[in-house]
Amino acid sequence: MDDLSKRGFLAGGVSAGLLAAAPFEALAQAKAEGRKLGYAMLGLGYYATRIIMPRFAECEHARLTGLVSGTPEKLKTFGEQYGVPEKSRYSYETFDRILDDPSVDIVYVVTPNSLHRTFTERAAKAGKHVMCEKPMATSAADAQAMVRACKAAGRKLMIGYRSRFQPHNVEAIRLARSGAVGPIRTIVADHGFTAGDPNQWRLKKALSGGGSLMDIGIYSLNATRYLTGEEPVAVNALESTDRSDIRFKEVEDTIAFQLAFPSGATANCFSTYSANCNRYRVSGPKGWIDLDPATPYEGQAMRTRIGGKTETWTPPTGAKSQFAGQLDHFADCILTGREPIVPGEEGVKDMKVIEAIYRAAREGRTVKL
Ligand code: NAD
């Protein structure tokens, strides 16, 4: 069997994508052979082209094999740069033909938020597994529909929560959940950046679904959930937005929120489009774990104070980047039949809390979950 037909056997379904249904032995063999799964990037904006695409070079199980964009020049430029052949370059109109493209196993959706649902559903219908950026959707109902669509198609769905593959965050999770600081009592998490261009999609509610909370505050929320390993049971929130600022006609600027967890841990979080901040601290009776910055693309710094000793933690040299870690994890899950650590359901959980935060701010009361 030549490489192409092997690929067709392993990745081909009705016409393209038996992978999810392939017997474990076939997948294990593909992994043993070091075969990389093919990703098609959908939405060739900043994050896809500047941050993610260069990282395929680092991947063990993933490679870039397809492109989807509304801009023909981008398809040409990036197609040539990354060696993606013309037959695997799609417009949003021709995208559904990806069904017949055995070189693509996974579609990575990196468009404005309100388009995540429709592209995820189309990709699943075309027999592809789906990686989707955060926030997963603009409502919990849409997020749940995406999970259903992928399940109905027998395809896997993962959300681009890259911090779960970032070494400092992975170590913070291990320490926090090991009881190193004692039972977690408080988490403080602040995330924000200054939103510039008033015409960007992030400030248009129909495309973004909301303001800073959907975009950057979700890092504070997601961190409280991954550090505690618990789901919040009650939410308070206070919004502060200058509606005379042209940037904030449709979406919120700053929103502060508090979360209560079943163990008694509480979190105090900030989300803003008016200040640059990116950090969290987990505290308990025995000490604290501090990441500042916590979730940027690079440059994380971690200090701990445990048993009266303050230390700086650095990852082992050569640790894989969070981006390659994320891309490889999903490919590996597909090759081994495992569920990703951040499946669609993880995105649904964040969306439900985000809706509760907005409701608590709007109604000026504690919302129970
Ligand atoms: P961007 O504006 O740079 O890119 C968006 C892309 O979508 C552009 O190529 C644009 O042409 C395309 N697009 C398709 N339909 C569109 C429409 N109707 N209106 C506007 N653009 C349209 O944005 P980005 O920063 O790359 O963000 C894209 C997604 O990635 C968002 O969901 C965002 O939350 C997520 N993101 C995640 C991270 C992360 O660290 N995980 C970082 C940045 C962005």
Side-chain angles (χ1 to χ4, degrees), residues 83-306:
V84 175
E86 273 182 54
K87 65 173 180 51
S88 296
R89 302 177 198 165
Y90 302 89
S91 68
Y92 296 128
E93 289 72 34
T94 63
F95 166 58
D96 306 276
R97 286 190 213 147
I98 207 161
L99 175 99
D100 294 317
D101 189 338
S103 75
V104 173
D105 302 295
I106 301 162
V107 172
Y108 191 163
V109 178
V110 203
T111 59
N113 310 336
S114 67
L115 306 173
H116 290 178
R117 176 179 170 176
T118 177
F119 283 122
T120 295
E121 288 174 341
R122 283 171 67 183
K125 217 167 158 193
K128 305 304 176 185
H129 302 277
V130 184
M131 174 87 81
C132 178
E133 259 315 313
K134 47 53 63 182
M136 179 176 178
T138 51
S139 69
D142 277 1
Q144 283 164 318
M146 291 158 71
V147 170
R148 280 198 302 273
C150 291
K151 280 211 159 71
R155 294 299 177 264
K156 291 189 189 296
L157 172 60
M158 172 168 152
I159 309 303
Y161 288 120
R162 59 179 166 75
S163 296
R164 296 293 297 273
F165 306 93
Q166 198 284 323
H168 296 78
N169 281 270
V170 171
E171 177 63 4
I173 294 169
R174 189 192 68 76
L175 277 176
R177 295 200 195 173
S178 74
V181 299
I184 298 170
R185 293 294 85 193
T186 66
I187 298 176
V188 178
D190 303 332
H191 280 85
F193 65 87
T194 311
D197 177 11
N199 296 314
Q200 61 182 301
W201 67 261
R202 283 182 165 75
L203 303 175
K204 310 284 172 220
K205 190 155 187 197
L207 286 169
S208 60
S212 71
L213 179 57
M214 284 277 181
D215 195 48
I216 186 75
I218 192 172
Y219 285 90
S220 290
L221 165 60
N222 197 245
T224 66
R225 294 183 45 255
Y226 62 64
L227 290 163
T228 58
E230 297 178 48
E231 297 306 319
V233 290
V235 176
N236 281 329
L238 193 67
E239 188 199 320
S240 171
T241 302
D242 176 1
R243 296 285 172 184
S244 70
D245 185 324
I246 188 170
R247 294 172 301 164
F248 304 124
K249 295 290 178 206
E250 297 183 24
V251 299
E252 85 280 357
D253 173 9
T254 300
I255 188 158
F257 56 96
Q258 296 176 317
L259 306 169
F261 291 88
S263 63
T266 55
N268 216 351
C269 304
F270 271 100
S271 168
T272 182
Y273 269 158
S274 289
N276 293 311
C277 48
N278 188 315
R279 63 178 178 183
Y280 62 67
R281 176 176 283 208
V282 186
S283 306
K286 293 201 230 161
W288 45 257
I289 304 158
D290 189 293
L291 260 73
D292 187 356
T295 65
Y297 296 150
E298 57 189 4
Q300 274 79 353
M302 176 167 168
R303 286 188 318 142
T304 57
R305 185 164 177 82
I306 294 166

